[in-house]
Amino acid sequence: MIEITFITNGGKVVSAAPNSNLLRVSLKEKGGIPFKCGGGLCGTCKCLIEEGLENTDAVKPKERRHLKPEEFEQGYRMACQTFVNGNIKVSWAGRPE
């Protein structure tokens, strides 16, 4: 099992199977990552992988529509498109008003 730490949600730590989808784990474990569509269309689930970016899979084409190259370099991903293969720590901005 791997550990995912939801920094913005009080540092909540949950266990997940390798190759788990980040948004699905957040939904199942009440991690708190904001979302609307869950399918890579809206960009609401943009989050920052603060530790363990190397434990995520390759950036998907849907992510490239919402995030800039410099955001990927900083560690931003879309949770609905990201699969995790090792421990990570993730944060996100509050839900837009």
Side-chain angles (χ1 to χ4, degrees):
M1 296 297 271
I2 60 173
E3 283 190 350
I4 298 175
T5 303
F6 297 98
I7 296 169
T8 309
N9 188 3
K12 181 175 187 167
V13 179
V14 302
S15 294
N19 204 34
S20 290
N21 176 273
L22 182 54
L23 182 60
R24 288 190 190 123
V25 172
S26 176
L27 291 170
K28 180 181 174 201
E29 302 291 344
K30 298 180 175 48
I33 296 175
F35 75 101
K36 285 186 181 165
C37 75
L41 302 175
C42 72
T44 304
C45 64
K46 173 182 168 182
C47 57
L48 177 62
I49 309 298
E50 294 199 23
E51 289 183 28
L53 184 61
E54 68 278 5
N55 294 326
T56 61
D57 64 343
V59 171
K60 313 290 187 313
K62 287 181 180 179
E63 291 179 280
R64 296 188 191 283
R65 291 188 209 134
H66 294 283
L67 303 174
K68 299 179 180 92
E70 55 269 21
E71 289 178 305
F72 292 121
E73 290 171 19
Q74 294 165 6
Y76 283 95
R77 296 290 304 268
M78 287 173 53
C80 70
Q81 299 296 302
T82 302
F83 288 81
V84 182
N85 288 299
N87 298 346
I88 66 163
K89 293 185 178 181
V90 60
S91 66
W92 56 93
R95 202 180 277 275
E97 297 301 316

